[in-house]
Amino acid sequence: LLNISKTVVAHGWEVDFCVKYSELPREVIAGLAEAGVRYHTFPQLSFFAGVLNRRSLLYTNSQGNTSPLIWSTAGRRRKGFHHCHTACSPAEMESWVPRYKKFIGAGPLLVACSRATKANIFTLGPDREVTVMPYLTTTVVNAMGSEHRDTRAKAERQLGKWNFGFVGRLDASKGIDVIIEASRHEACADVNWHFFGDGPEAEKIRSVGGANLIWHGAFDRSTPLEEIYGGLDAVVLPSRHAEGSPLCLIEALSFGRPWIASNRGGISELACSAGDHLVIDVDDKQRFVDAVVNLKKRLAAGEVKQDTIRDFYRANYSPEAVTARWMGLLEEVWSEFPGKASCLA
């Protein structure tokens, strides 16, 4: 959302970024201001002025009562859309309040982060107008080929070892136990497993020990992605959670990296090829080990085509490609009101 807001401003629009509850760091807020984004928090008067401005395009993304309330106040003629940025899986829908379920079933235009999300939405509203838009990941703009900066990767190279990495929050739902169990398997003895991120499963990684389990700790937006992905041969995401469109897999594509991930949510839509991006059922842990073995063979034989993966990324998920799609959507929704507009979050 931060990327979208800054990009929209750069294309000549005015943006009021309205947040009900915010934990954004000061430097992030300062970055919004520097980009020309107007930032408002509840209960500032400017928050209400922005949200209730009917001469602007309205964007919402919260899952709860707030988004339906804002749209009911906005009126039927208000232009804009609601962004479904998760998988919207059946399990996820069980936690939704009734008003939000009704809103998704019959409300404004919906934007889904994946085709899988769109399909799930149709279970609540089969006749809904839903468009699919990828995440705008401007953080990977310099993450391809010769454009890499010469920085030392945290995943150090060791002779005779492959570097496979997990990038993200270390939650049990992400399948951390699947990786730990694979690390003990004889077929994976030549793999170093790198964990970038923090969370409740970090202590489990530390307590298991072993030279091939390497936890690098938390990272933030200031961490160069080259230091994460630059030293990895492959990325793994054996998630049991229905993912919308995992950012770590998109970032891996930008570096030309293969990956192994669970067949949950919109993950399969990010696969460039069946050989380089293995989508499996992680409930069978042996299948994960087998996938690791198969991917190692492809890497050793030089069969992983990094240029092909990067081309797939550039065409579908690069900032240039995704920006064009988002700006096209905004212009289409706004077409009845010529001139500059405000895109509200």
Side-chain angles (χ1 to χ4, degrees):
L1 183 54
L2 296 170
N3 292 335
I4 291 174
S5 298
K6 293 178 181 179
T7 299
V8 169
V9 167
H11 282 73
W13 289 50
E14 298 174 358
V15 176
D16 289 287
F17 196 110
C18 302
V19 184
K20 186 176 180 182
Y21 301 114
S22 175
E23 295 183 359
L24 289 178
R26 289 183 179 180
E27 59 270 21
V28 174
I29 297 174
L32 287 173
E34 184 178 350
V37 179
R38 298 187 293 252
Y39 180 76
H40 318 286
T41 57
F42 179 88
Q44 295 174 335
L45 290 178
S46 58
F47 172 92
F48 294 101
V51 169
L52 299 177
N53 177 12
R54 297 190 178 183
R55 294 294 301 172
S56 65
L57 184 152
L58 178 62
Y59 167 106
T60 56
N61 67 11
S62 64
Q63 295 180 341
N65 286 316
T66 301
S67 290
L69 175 61
I70 290 174
W71 278 99
S72 65
T73 305
R76 293 183 178 181
R77 298 188 62 187
R78 185 71 180 270
K79 297 294 180 180
F81 50 85
H82 180 76
H83 190 190
C84 297
H85 55 90
T86 65
C88 296
S89 65
E92 186 181 335
M93 289 181 182
E94 289 179 3
S95 67
W96 289 355
V97 297
R99 187 174 186 182
Y100 186 69
K101 287 184 178 180
K102 183 178 179 181
F103 172 75
I104 293 298
L109 168 68
L110 297 177
V111 172
C113 66
S114 69
R115 294 191 298 274
T117 299
K118 179 177 180 178
N120 288 333
I121 289 172
F122 283 158
T123 64
L124 289 182
D127 300 322
R128 294 290 277 117
E129 184 180 3
V130 185
T131 186
V132 177
M133 299 292 292
Y135 292 147
L136 178 56
T137 56
T138 57
T139 51
V140 294
V141 66
N142 293 320
M144 294 180 289
S146 61
E147 298 174 5
H148 283 193
R149 287 182 294 172
D150 186 18
T151 59
R152 184 181 182 185
K154 290 183 180 179
E156 300 291 348
R157 296 287 179 180
Q158 292 184 20
L159 185 63
K161 293 283 189 177
W162 298 105
N163 286 330
F164 281 48
F166 172 93
V167 184
R169 181 163 173 78
L170 302 179
D171 284 324
S173 65
K174 299 294 185 178
I176 303 302
D177 63 305
V178 176
I179 302 174
I180 291 176
E181 186 166 324
S183 73
R184 300 169 174 150
H185 202 288
E186 184 179 356
C188 300
D190 57 349
V191 176
N192 282 335
W193 302 91
H194 298 265
F195 297 85
F196 296 91
D198 205 352
E201 293 291 283
E203 183 56 40
K204 179 182 292 187
I205 296 169
R206 289 194 295 265
S207 64
V208 169
N212 65 336
L213 284 178
I214 305 160
W215 180 55
H216 297 281
F219 62 91
D220 58 27
R221 292 170 61 87
S222 66
T223 304
L225 293 181
E226 293 88 343
E227 293 186 5
I228 298 175
Y229 297 95
L232 296 179
D233 297 299
V235 172
V236 295
L237 181 63
S239 179
R240 295 188 179 91
H241 171 71
E243 306 280 349
S245 187
L247 181 60
C248 66
L249 300 186
I250 296 175
E251 291 172 344
L253 292 174
S254 75
F255 280 85
R257 298 296 187 260
W259 45 255
I260 303 169
S262 57
N263 191 16
R264 302 292 174 93
I267 285 178
S268 63
E269 300 167 32
L270 301 176
C272 174
S273 70
D276 292 336
H277 300 114
L278 308 176
V279 183
I280 63 172
D281 179 3
V282 296
D283 290 333
D284 183 346
K285 294 183 180 180
Q286 183 59 44
R287 288 193 178 184
F288 181 76
V289 172
D290 293 342
V292 171
V293 171
N294 289 334
L295 190 51
K296 285 193 301 175
K297 290 179 180 178
R298 287 181 61 80
L299 287 164
E303 294 175 353
V304 174
K305 306 300 182 183
Q306 292 194 2
D307 289 343
T308 300
I309 297 173
R310 293 190 188 103
D311 288 344
F312 174 77
Y313 165 78
R314 290 188 182 102
N316 298 282
Y317 299 102
S318 67
E320 295 78 12
V322 178
T323 293
R325 291 184 61 179
W326 273 98
M327 294 311 303
L329 173 67
L330 294 179
E331 294 291 348
E332 180 181 354
V333 175
W334 189 249
S335 60
E336 294 186 16
F337 301 94
K340 291 185 179 180
S342 297
C343 179
L344 305 181

